[in-house]
Amino acid sequence: MEAYLSDRLIQKVLSSEDNKRLFVENFKDFNDSKISISDIFKQMENLDSYIKKTLRDIIYHNLPRVKNIYKTTLSVDLGDVSELMKCISIRHDIVHRNGKDKNGNLRDISKDDVSILAQKVSDFIQNIENQFLMQSIDDSEIDSLFNL
C-alpha cells in the first residue's frame, strides 16, 4: 500500500504541470523555503528531481499526511483512514516490537485478519483508482454515458 501511494503520487505529480504547481504551492514543508531570484532558473531546471526526492522521503504510512497531499494536489479523497491506521499500528508492533504492543502483550493475528486487511487495502486502492478514472473522463463523455 505504501509503495502504491508513493509511486502513484510521484507519477501523477510529475505527469502534469498543473499537479506540480499544486504540489509545490500546497506542500507545507515548502512554505519556509527561500530561494534568491538569481537561483530561480537553477531551481526550475531541477524541479522534477527535487519534487521526486521530496515525495520519496515522505513516510507513506502516515496516512493523514498522505491524505492531505492527495487531496490538495490531486483532488483525490482517500476517505476514512482510521481502520487502516489501526492496522499500520499493529504492523509497527510486529516489525519494531517483535509482535508485542507497547504494554508487552503479544499481538494475536489470524489468517482471517490478514485476508480482511488485504481486502481493505485492495478496496482503498481501488477507490483511489476510480477517482483517477473519473477525473480522466471529461464532461462530454459523462454526458454521453448518461444520454444527457
Side-chain angles (χ1 to χ4, degrees), residues 110-121:
S110 69
K111 286 182 183 181
D112 285 342
D113 293 332
V114 175
S115 295
I116 290 168
L117 175 58
Q119 187 60 54
K120 284 180 186 178
V121 170

Side-chain angles (χ1 to χ4, degrees), residues 69-81:
I69 296 168
Y70 265 79
K71 187 66 174 171
T72 59
T73 303
L74 305 174
S75 297
V76 169
D77 183 3
L78 300 187
D80 182 7
V81 296

